[in-house]
Amino acid sequence: MTNTQLFQQDRSNSPLLKVNKLTKLYAPGKGCEDINFDLYPGEVLGIVGESGSGKSTLLTCLSARLAPNDGEVLYLNRENNWLNLYQLSETERRYLLRTEWGVVHQHARDGLRMGVSAGANIGERLMAIGERHYGKIREKGMKWMQDVELDVDRIDDKPATYSGGMQQRLQIARNLVTHPRVVFMDEPTGGLDVSVQARLLDLLRTLVTEMNLSVIIVTHDLAVARLLAQRLVVMRHGKIVETGLTDQVLDDPQHAYTQLLVSSVLTP
Ligand SMILES: Nc1ncnc2c1ncn2[C@@H]1O[C@H](COP(=O)(O)OP(=O)(O)OP(=O)(O)O)[C@@H](O)[C@H]1O
């Protein structure tokens, strides 16, 4: 089954996110420049490119954490209102990040609160959307620990006592507990052992499909892109050089840079 069939992307609906002429440059060619695309409900979009091509800069701008120099990011919220991200107040952007959006960082410690228990890490996001009942918060925390295959008996342990792979699972649970509509992921399996990576990717793929999440995932690993993303954006020197369905881009790359990127993975 192809990724296109697997993920329930719905193009009959309006996009959830519209990115228009987005630019954030630190120096010529460093950052991201004139980025345009739409993200549809249930779609998983991969951003690929070599180190320094601007993937993280773009993701940080898209996820309301870095103001661009130019262009806009429009988001259709749960109430069906279009929000212009960088015209919102800082408080409104932060609220969005705690509720309808999620961010999974490469290093779990950037996305977790290391000083509080695993259960509190999950519960905190529930409290942000108004849940106050301690019993219910704990119950949901336990359910999510099970869903991401963590030992529920360790719910009161701090994340620092978890392995890297477990911390990443906890970070995913913390993000997904509020049923976000859009999740931004920056190299979510980077830095983990290969076998741990494979299991985590499997879990992510299942959760993304089951919850019909819209995801933007940055990765330099084309195998990860192939497994998770339905559509790809290829970046070079801050610009998009190619975009299309994942299988098309990887099996029949049109741009010379994409051809090089794909062949450099195939040739040892
Ligand atoms: N805060 C900053 N100040 C100055 N230059 C920066 C800053 N952040 C990133 N850059 C530069 O912008 C370019 C793009 O960096 P970015 O981290 O977005 O690329 P990337 O494709 O995500 O790379 P990697 O995969 O290595 O993380 C790089 O040349 C980087 O050195």
Side-chain angles (χ1 to χ4, degrees), residues 31-264:
C32 63
E33 189 172 2
D34 194 22
I35 305 293
N36 298 282
F37 66 83
D38 293 342
L39 180 76
Y40 284 82
E43 181 175 34
V44 181
L45 178 79
I47 302 176
V48 299
E50 65 192 338
S51 181
S53 57
K55 306 181 298 295
S56 298
T57 305
L58 173 59
L59 194 79
T60 320
C61 286
L62 293 173
S63 55
R65 294 171 295 147
L66 178 68
N69 305 128
D70 207 356
E72 59 182 13
V73 180
L74 304 173
Y75 168 63
L76 186 67
N77 74 359
R78 271 197 224 281
E79 280 79 45
N80 242 10
N81 296 318
W82 280 104
L83 306 179
N84 188 329
L85 205 55
Y86 288 98
Q87 282 179 6
L88 299 177
S89 68
E90 181 63 31
T91 313
E92 287 168 322
R93 278 197 293 274
R94 273 207 223 116
Y95 180 74
L96 204 58
L97 278 168
R98 287 204 311 268
T99 55
E100 297 190 22
W101 287 8
V103 180
V104 176
H105 299 262
Q106 174 176 0
H107 302 292
R109 60 182 54 243
D110 294 334
L112 291 173
R113 291 226 288 129
M114 302 304 279
V116 302
S117 69
N121 264 284
I122 303 175
E124 198 176 49
R125 292 246 321 173
L126 285 173
M127 290 170 76
I129 56 166
E131 184 59 79
R132 290 287 173 266
H133 190 281
Y134 176 77
K136 281 189 189 153
I137 292 175
R138 192 163 173 89
E139 202 179 298
K140 277 204 180 154
M142 290 166 93
K143 180 196 166 292
W144 266 99
M145 292 211 35
Q146 276 166 350
D147 286 353
V148 297
E149 295 156 20
L150 285 172
D151 181 357
V152 175
D153 289 343
R154 298 200 54 183
I155 192 166
D156 295 318
D157 294 353
K158 291 189 178 154
T161 66
Y162 282 21
S163 69
M166 286 163 68
Q167 287 181 4
Q168 209 53 317
R169 284 164 189 273
L170 182 62
Q171 197 193 176
I172 290 164
R174 173 179 163 93
N175 272 280
L176 299 192
V177 68
T178 54
H179 286 260
R181 305 177 82 211
V182 184
V183 183
F184 301 91
M185 301 184 186
D186 195 351
E187 307 272 9
T189 57
L192 298 173
D193 289 349
V194 174
S195 65
V196 177
Q197 258 191 35
R199 285 180 50 210
L200 193 67
L201 275 172
D202 236 22
L203 174 73
L204 274 177
R205 194 171 147 97
T206 307
L207 290 171
V208 162
T209 316
E210 279 177 6
M211 297 177 74
N212 197 27
L213 295 173
S214 302
V215 176
I216 300 185
I217 177 170
V218 158
T219 179
H220 69 277
D221 187 336
L222 297 185
V224 170
R226 165 109 57 193
L227 198 72
L228 286 181
Q230 189 179 26
R231 199 154 58 96
L232 290 186
V233 155
V234 183
M235 288 188 70
R236 184 188 189 215
H237 296 163
K239 291 192 173 160
I240 295 180
V241 293
E242 184 162 350
T243 173
L245 294 177
T246 303
D247 294 340
Q248 247 166 32
V249 171
L250 296 184
D251 296 338
D252 185 20
Q254 298 299 305
H255 193 282
Y257 173 73
T258 319
Q259 289 166 359
L260 201 67
L261 204 66
V262 171
S263 66
S264 67

